[in-house]
Amino acid sequence: MTYLCNGIITNLNINEIRQSRNALRLPDQVSLSELALSIKNVGLLEPIIVRPLEDGYEIISGGRRYEACKLLGMIRITCHIIDVDDKEAYEISLIENLQQKSMNPLEEASAFKKYVHTFGWGGESDLARRIGKSQEYVSRRIRLLQLPPSAQQKILNKEVNASLAQELYTLDEEQIEKVIEDVAANRYSNKEAREMIRTIRRNPDFASKLMRPKERYGLSSTLASSYSRADIEEDAKERAEYLFKKCAISTRIALKSFDNVLNDIEEES
């Protein structure tokens, strides 16, 4: 994003600055106190990014640093001022948070949904290209918002990881509730949990056996016995498609590298 190179860095009165109307995260008072202590000890190591408005400046990136400086009673703060529109400001904020891994999966999902659906700035593929992620990553994150509140809470509590939760959207709400409770209670591996979800898709009655200690109904043996020859063939087909795509990507990379070598040779000739 070249417009970051076109701004200026200067100190601004902290009262001239306000938080973004489209802030991606809410400040956590506990982490703010820790950040404030760090700034007090070593100073503000990185300017916050702001943009000028008619009535002052709006934060694009660095909202937590701004709040921490306010806690310390600072009067002025170092800012990187750039002139961008709403869409560009949102993209900068989103990219920085993704690079720093500072958002939880549901915050990411909400931010992606706002970009695509609320603001209508582009489709999932457009957003994926802007933030350096795959379209599948964006779409699977957004699907987390389709899960019932209890499932989302377990993601926030880190009782169930997001990559697994993203597999649940094809189940109905009652099945999702049972799978989430069972996975959280029995601490299944991702492999076990995914086998469970696939089994429920093929045999919805299997959900009635959940929410019990797994040794009482033997998850592995039950899952194994539920697989038919068709299931095995489907698994093999999915594996073959995955390997084919991997080979295709590898081939494209190799051809690109070969072209680069040829271009270097031609330039040196």
Side-chain angles (χ1 to χ4, degrees), residues 25-232:
R25 303 175 63 210
L26 295 175
D28 175 15
Q29 292 302 317
V30 175
S31 61
L32 276 181
S33 298
E34 295 174 351
L35 180 57
L37 180 60
S38 173
I39 293 174
K40 181 179 180 180
N41 291 334
V42 301
L44 184 64
L45 300 179
E46 184 179 354
I48 68 172
I49 303 174
V50 302
R51 62 174 180 155
L53 300 177
E54 292 183 1
D55 57 346
Y57 298 88
E58 181 184 64
I59 295 173
I60 296 174
S61 176
R64 291 177 64 252
R65 279 169 277 156
Y66 164 78
E67 293 292 343
C69 290
K70 284 179 65 176
L71 279 179
L72 293 172
M74 294 174 60
I75 298 175
R76 299 179 70 79
I77 184 172
T78 305
C79 299
H80 186 172
I81 307 172
I82 57 175
D83 190 11
V84 293
D85 60 24
D86 290 346
K87 177 174 178 286
E88 291 168 332
Y90 194 89
E91 289 172 353
I92 294 170
S93 178
L94 183 53
I95 289 170
E96 183 185 75
N97 277 282
L98 289 171
Q99 289 178 343
Q100 295 181 355
K101 302 184 185 301
S102 56
M103 292 190 294
N104 66 52
L106 291 173
E107 286 174 330
E108 285 187 19
S110 179
F112 295 167
K113 185 177 180 180
K114 285 181 181 178
Y115 186 99
V116 175
H117 299 290
T118 305
F119 302 131
W121 284 328
E124 292 178 359
S125 59
D126 299 309
L127 174 59
R129 185 170 58 255
R130 298 298 292 170
I131 63 177
K133 298 286 186 181
S134 68
Q135 181 177 349
E136 183 182 16
Y137 181 93
V138 172
S139 62
R140 287 168 69 85
R141 272 292 190 261
I142 292 176
R143 285 175 194 157
L144 290 176
L145 300 177
Q146 299 176 19
L147 299 177
S150 59
Q152 294 187 28
Q153 189 59 51
K154 281 188 166 50
I155 296 172
L156 291 176
N157 295 342
K158 299 183 179 180
E159 297 177 62
V160 176
N161 68 55
S163 63
L164 172 60
Q166 288 167 169
E167 307 282 345
L168 296 170
Y169 78 98
T170 56
L171 305 180
D172 64 40
E173 186 168 335
E174 183 179 356
Q175 292 171 338
I176 290 173
E177 296 277 3
K178 288 183 176 180
V179 170
I180 286 286
E181 290 292 339
D182 208 46
V183 169
N186 289 302
R187 299 182 181 277
Y188 293 130
S189 67
N190 281 352
K191 181 179 179 181
E192 286 180 313
R194 286 191 174 93
E195 286 177 349
M196 178 197 301
I197 293 166
R198 294 175 68 180
T199 300
I200 293 173
R201 288 175 187 156
R202 298 181 178 105
N203 179 18
D205 292 338
F206 183 73
S208 64
K209 298 181 179 182
L210 303 182
M211 297 180 70
R212 313 177 198 172
K214 61 181 177 181
E215 60 270 12
R216 288 180 56 187
Y217 58 83
L219 177 66
S220 297
S221 60
T222 306
L223 290 173
S225 64
S226 68
Y227 281 174
S228 65
R229 181 176 181 81
D231 296 331
I232 295 172

